[in-house]
Amino acid sequence: QVGLASFAPRLDDEGNSIQGVEMFARLSADLGLHLMASERRDVAQRLREFSGD
């Protein structure tokens, strides 16, 4: 499990950081993360692949 936060001053109508929401959407897509995904993913492996290690 992990907890992440972002801080960027421009907020949308709901009070969420516009840049933060975009960053987390891209991070989720890049790492293949989804709350409702049925299969478990090796996030550490995905990070290594993403960084080129």
Side-chain angles (χ1 to χ4, degrees):
Q1 295 180 356
V2 65
L4 298 172
S6 68
F7 173 79
R10 222 171 78 218
L11 304 178
D12 62 15
D13 292 336
E14 289 82 32
N16 299 309
S17 164
I18 294 171
Q19 291 171 318
V21 169
E22 177 63 23
M23 179 196 68
F24 287 121
R26 292 184 65 189
L27 182 65
S28 293
D30 290 347
L31 295 177
L33 304 174
H34 191 279
L35 177 64
M36 304 306 279
S38 60
E39 69 276 355
R40 294 184 54 99
R41 299 193 186 268
D42 183 352
V43 174
Q45 178 62 34
R46 297 284 294 203
L47 286 171
R48 285 190 292 275
E49 292 170 3
F50 187 72
S51 67
D53 289 347

